[in-house]
Amino acid sequence: MLRLRDIEKVYQTKTIETVALNSVNLTVNRGEFVSIMGPSGCGKSTLLSLMGLLDEPTSGVIEVDGRAVTSYSDKELAGLRNLKIGFVFQSYHLINDLSVVDNVELPLLYRQGMGGGERRQRALAALDKVGLSARTGHFPGQLSGGQRQRVAIARALAGGPEIILADEPTGNLDSVMGEEIMDLLLALNREQGVTIVMVTHDMQQALKTQRVIRFFDGSQVS
Ligand code: ADP
Ligand code: ADP
């Protein structure tokens, strides 16, 4: 569903040029759960932002469903991002003065033709999937880290994405909560068929996924 061909990403500031990714070739198939490992600074976050169509490579081609991203119009691209891709971040990125259910509804606000009733219904269904039906009216500050990450996962799920891109989703959690989140992602992959690409530093977690891709210094090493 997602293919990167000969991807290079160079960050250029006034004085420094950083090659963040170099000759990356990578395919993610529908239904896979892939983990990405590697030391800090090796390009993992850059890779996820390219996969999420949030940024463009310096050279190389990204294909979604067999079609180069450059051949999509801006409107189509916005649609791809909004409809197909869900993001989960290490630090949750929730809005503290919105309730849990309002946070989960946020990405649905951009859906054309979706009314408030349907938004609410979808958000509640997503919260049910992550086991947070009893917390929909709470605010993020009233939840544990693990629960906040569940809200973030519900937000990613609410739009019915085909792929979830997760950047160290358990990085801020203790091992018990981290394992809970990992089990939730594994269940979403197995039971709902959501494709997942996850950056992690945790080898135990990575070994539970179907494929581990290791990066070093901007290149894939295995
Ligand atoms: P990782 O997620 O593996 O820690 P990153 O993808 O964040 O790695 O970064 C890869 C390299 O690119 C690092 O050297 C980092 O400093 C650099 N980099 C990342 N983002 C930017 C940016 N916006 N501008 C300049 N350099 C960047
Ligand atoms: P990612 O999930 O890609 O790591 P984050 O948004 O979680 O992205 O974090 C990006 C960087 O900012 C990380 O190095 C993280 O430690 C730092 N960071 C995130 N949230 C905070 C915060 N509230 N205060 C200070 N640093 C933060």
Side-chain angles (χ1 to χ4, degrees):
M1 74 186 307
L2 195 58
R3 173 170 285 172
L4 308 191
R5 291 182 192 270
D6 292 321
I7 294 295
E8 186 185 46
K9 179 67 184 178
V10 180
Y11 291 109
Q12 180 80 59
T13 62
K14 256 185 218 149
T15 47
I16 321 168
E17 187 181 277
T18 307
V19 180
L21 294 174
N22 186 19
S23 307
V24 173
N25 286 286
L26 182 57
T27 302
V28 179
N29 297 307
R30 201 170 288 276
E32 267 196 306
F33 191 163
V34 179
S35 47
I36 312 274
M37 297 195 80
S40 184
C42 73
K44 304 180 299 294
S45 295
T46 301
L47 182 75
L48 277 200
S49 66
L50 294 179
M51 286 181 161
L53 314 179
L54 298 175
D55 199 2
E56 291 171 8
T58 308
S59 64
V61 179
I62 301 175
E63 291 173 7
V64 176
D65 295 335
R67 200 177 135 193
V69 162
T70 46
S71 77
Y72 289 85
S73 69
D74 284 350
K75 203 173 163 191
E76 285 174 318
L77 266 187
L80 279 183
R81 273 187 220 110
N82 195 233
L83 293 169
K84 288 201 175 231
I85 304 170
F87 289 94
V88 175
F89 305 94
Q90 178 174 349
S91 55
Y92 327 125
H93 292 195
L94 300 176
I95 301 196
N96 286 327
D97 50 14
L98 288 182
S99 70
V100 161
V101 68
D102 286 339
N103 266 282
V104 174
E105 277 187 39
L106 271 183
L108 301 178
L109 289 175
Y110 304 100
R111 289 289 170 90
Q112 266 170 6
M114 190 182 288
E118 189 184 349
R119 277 204 304 272
R120 179 67 40 141
Q121 204 175 13
R122 282 213 193 194
L124 292 174
L127 283 162
D128 186 45
K129 280 185 190 160
V130 303
L132 276 186
S133 288
R135 296 281 188 276
T136 60
H138 284 59
F139 287 83
Q142 300 171 311
L143 302 177
S144 71
Q147 289 172 330
R148 287 184 212 189
Q149 193 58 296
R150 283 171 185 272
V151 177
I153 292 170
R155 180 185 54 193
L157 285 174
E162 293 177 10
I163 186 164
I164 287 185
L165 303 174
D167 198 345
E168 293 191 53
T170 65
N172 284 352
L173 302 176
D174 67 31
S175 57
V176 174
M177 286 200 223
E179 204 164 322
E180 262 178 44
I181 292 298
M182 188 60 200
D183 288 344
L184 174 60
L185 293 173
L186 285 163
L188 290 173
N189 172 252
R190 275 198 215 112
E191 289 156 28
Q192 323 256 346
V194 183
T195 307
I196 303 179
V197 179
M198 174 183 75
V199 168
T200 183
H201 284 292
D202 185 326
M203 181 59 94
Q204 293 309 112
Q205 286 181 359
L207 289 174
K208 291 181 180 171
T209 67
Q210 290 158 14
R211 188 151 61 104
V212 184
I213 299 170
R214 288 184 179 73
F215 271 78
F216 188 79
D217 228 1
S219 298
Q220 202 175 330
V221 287
S222 72

